[in-house]
């Protein structure tokens, strides 16, 4: 594991201002390579989609999730235990923060990526999840699937309703490399561009402040709907006014 020093206070301040922060070379290439091999072996080249067709079509999101720790794959525990990641998480979420789960997201070439969304409704600014995204392989232009974020949008309330994909003023393109850590506030408007020439992988160690309900990410906000994963149901149609 990489032991390079990090400036916890600066990173936490950037996160507070922007709702996301990208730290290159946070994890060393060898440990990332090990996880990447496990992930690619698990998925093979032709994974089935996991969500139903209504979700896939309406959300314009094509990603296959895997929860390796729930299946006892111990190789993923090392990241969770990393003292620098824990120090950063505490600086952002405060004492008593909790890990939620580790979710690998896999996308095949030629799929649409993920439309703009917020991981949970921003109805209460204090109720949110923190995405701790670890990249085990480069997101190059050849792979596609760059992550888009709107800086400061974690403080702008609801993602505006409308067409699922669009451009927002001030949106920023992230191109994480192997070993990059991206910390992303669940209320921050974010999107993954279509996947181009190779499979795309990201691994999300979700966490939340003390007292946050375990199911805080059950309802996801898209520009055209709110969707509840536990019941696979559209719980609100959203129309631009
Ligand atoms: O994989 C990424 O870069 C972003 C993941 C994402 O959109 C999410 O976890 O909600």
């Amino acid at each position: 594991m990489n032991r390079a020093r990090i400036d916890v206070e600066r990173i936490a301040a950037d996160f507070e201002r922007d709702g996301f922060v990208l730290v290159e070379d946070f994890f060393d290439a060898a440990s990332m390579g090990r996880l990447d091999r496990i992930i690619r072996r698990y998925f093979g080249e032709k994974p089935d989609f996991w969500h139903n067709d209504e979700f896939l079509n309406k959300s314009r999101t094509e990603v296959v999730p895997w929860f390796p720790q729930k299946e006892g794959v111990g190789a993923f525990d090392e990241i969770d235990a990393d003292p620098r990641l824990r120090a950063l998480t505490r600086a952002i979420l405060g004492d008593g923060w909790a890990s939620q789960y580790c979710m690998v997201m896999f996308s095949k070439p030629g799929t649409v990526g993920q439309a703009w969304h917020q991981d949970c409704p921003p109805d209460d600014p204090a109720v949110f999840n923190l995405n701790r995204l670890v990249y085990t392989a480069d997101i190059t232009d050849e792979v596609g699937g760059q992550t888009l974020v709107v800086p400061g949008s974690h403080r702008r309330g609801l993602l505006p309703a409308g067409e699922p994909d669009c451009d927002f003023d001030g949106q920023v393109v992230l191109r994480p490399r192997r070993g990059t850590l991206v910390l992303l506030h669940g209320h921050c408007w974010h999107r993954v561009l279509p996947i181009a020439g190779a499979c795309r992988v990201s691994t999300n160690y979700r966490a939340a402040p003390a007292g946050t309900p375990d199911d805080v990410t059950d309802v996801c906000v898209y520009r055209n709907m709110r969707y509840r994963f536990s019941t696979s149901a559209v719980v609100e149609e959203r129309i631009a006014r």
Side-chain angles (χ1 to χ4, degrees):
M1 201 56 62
N2 190 348
R3 297 289 165 212
R5 286 178 64 81
I6 51 158
D7 184 342
V8 171
E9 267 155 38
R10 184 190 58 76
I11 294 172
D14 287 353
F15 178 89
E16 178 77 17
R17 184 190 61 220
D18 293 334
F20 75 95
V21 66
L22 180 150
V23 189
E24 284 179 336
D25 298 321
F26 193 89
F27 298 108
D28 71 84
S31 59
M32 292 294 100
R34 277 194 298 279
L35 291 183
D36 203 62
R37 281 190 292 279
I38 295 170
I39 292 167
R40 286 172 204 271
R41 228 181 4 249
Y42 173 82
F43 281 105
E45 286 305 309
K46 289 191 171 48
D48 288 333
F49 286 117
W50 192 69
H51 297 296
N52 66 27
D53 285 347
E54 183 193 26
F55 175 79
L56 293 172
N57 295 332
K58 193 168 165 84
S59 68
R60 297 214 203 134
T61 292
E62 289 179 298
V63 64
V64 190
W66 177 39
F67 301 86
Q69 290 176 320
K70 292 187 183 165
E71 296 178 18
V73 183
F76 288 81
D77 298 349
E78 190 186 7
I79 302 284
D80 247 346
D82 183 282
R84 296 168 316 132
L85 182 59
R86 297 184 72 82
L88 259 183
T89 308
R90 180 164 171 268
I92 290 170
L93 298 182
D95 289 335
W97 67 272
S99 275
Q100 293 193 311
Y101 50 82
C102 162
M103 173 174 62
V104 178
M105 285 166 288
F106 189 89
S107 303
K108 291 184 281 188
T111 54
V112 297
Q114 299 185 44
W116 286 110
H117 63 280
Q118 293 169 300
D119 301 320
C120 56
D123 306 341
D124 179 345
V127 178
F128 67 98
N129 65 294
L130 173 67
N131 296 304
R132 299 181 300 166
L133 289 151
V134 173
Y135 295 83
T136 56
D138 296 349
I139 306 294
T140 59
D141 287 344
E142 195 229 328
V143 174
Q146 299 87 346
T147 308
L148 299 192
V149 292
V150 180
S153 56
H154 62 311
R155 297 180 188 283
R156 286 172 60 185
L158 263 185
L159 176 66
E163 275 303 300
D165 298 325
C166 66
D167 286 320
F168 283 113
D169 287 345
Q171 68 186 29
V172 167
V173 184
L174 308 182
R175 291 184 179 79
R177 314 287 303 188
R178 170 172 283 181
T180 297
L181 170 71
V182 171
L183 299 171
L184 175 63
H185 193 298
H187 295 168
C188 188
W189 309 348
H190 57 286
R191 173 184 177 191
V192 174
L193 290 177
I195 318 306
C199 294
R200 177 194 196 274
V201 173
S202 64
T203 301
N204 194 351
Y205 288 80
R206 277 192 168 149
T212 306
D214 284 346
D215 65 352
V216 64
T217 53
D218 191 26
V219 173
C220 185
V221 179
Y222 294 90
R223 277 169 54 78
N224 57 353
M225 64 171 170
R226 289 190 192 211
Y227 190 84
R228 186 181 296 281
F229 292 108
S230 59
T231 54
S232 303
V234 176
V235 291
E236 182 194 333
E237 298 277 357
R238 303 190 64 216
I239 296 159
R241 294 180 194 284

